[in-house]
Amino acid sequence: MRVDKYLWCVRYYKTRNMVTEACRKNQITVNGQVAKPSREVFPMDKITFRKDQITYSITVLDIPLNRVGAKLVDIYRKDETPAEAFAHLEMLKLSKEHYRKSGVGRPTKKDRRDLEDFEFDFEPEDH
C-alpha cells in the first residue's frame, strides 16, 4: 500500500492530499529515507513524520484494506512516539494561553498600564 494511503487509512491525516503535501515537504520518512507519496509500505516498516510540532514514529504491523475506525487503528500500527513529545505540546499550549485567552482582542487600557508598570520595574536606575 502507498504511504499516503496508509497514513490516511490509519487516521493520522484527514485527507490523502494532506499526506501528499507532507511528503512533498520531506516531512515523512520510511525506514530513514525521505518518502514520496507513492512509496510502498510493508509490515515492519518504520514511518517517521512531523505533524503539529510532534515527530511521530510508528511501525506498520499490517496493511488495512480501507480506512479504519479509530478503535481499530492499533491493529495496523504500533505507535512508538515518546511521551515527552506530547508533554512538550501541552506546555506550548499552556504557555500561549498564559497571558491572554485567544480571540479576546486588543489589550485593554488596564492591561497596557500594567505592562508599562512591569517594564518600568526592570529599567536600571541612572544614579
Side-chain angles (χ1 to χ4, degrees):
M1 176 180 277
R2 295 167 50 115
V3 69
D4 62 342
K5 189 171 182 181
Y6 179 80
L7 289 173
W8 171 75
C9 284
V10 293
R11 297 186 168 269
Y12 277 104
Y13 288 91
K14 194 171 184 177
T15 64
R16 282 181 63 184
N17 192 32
M18 293 171 75
V19 186
T20 303
E21 287 299 316
C23 285
R24 288 192 182 128
K25 293 177 184 176
N26 295 336
Q27 294 176 343
I28 298 176
T29 61
V30 177
N31 296 331
Q33 296 178 340
V34 176
K36 291 182 178 179
S38 61
R39 167 78 188 259
E40 291 289 321
V41 291
F42 302 99
M44 301 316 295
D45 280 351
K46 296 199 182 301
I47 301 175
T48 306
F49 59 97
R50 187 155 174 83
K51 181 182 175 222
D52 298 333
Q53 298 182 346
I54 296 179
T55 303
Y56 292 92
S57 179
I58 62 172
T59 302
V60 178
L61 297 179
D62 199 6
I63 305 295
L65 297 175
N66 217 340
R67 189 167 167 100
V68 296
K71 292 181 179 178
L72 302 176
V73 167
D74 289 332
I75 298 171
Y76 299 102
R77 58 104 173 129
K78 180 180 178 189
D79 195 353
E80 298 171 347
T81 307
E84 297 89 41
F86 297 107
H88 180 70
L89 183 67
E90 288 298 319
M91 290 301 290
L92 282 175
K93 286 181 182 177
L94 290 175
S95 67
K96 287 180 183 177
E97 294 178 357
H98 175 68
Y99 177 63
R100 297 187 72 76
K101 298 289 183 197
S102 63
V104 194
R106 293 173 42 179
T108 63
K109 198 174 210 177
K110 182 182 182 321
D111 290 338
R112 235 180 19 255
R113 287 183 182 141
D114 290 344
L115 280 174
E116 288 171 359
D117 291 342
F118 184 73
E119 290 172 1
F120 286 128
D121 289 344
F122 290 105
E123 287 186 5
E125 301 277 337
D126 291 337
H127 298 308

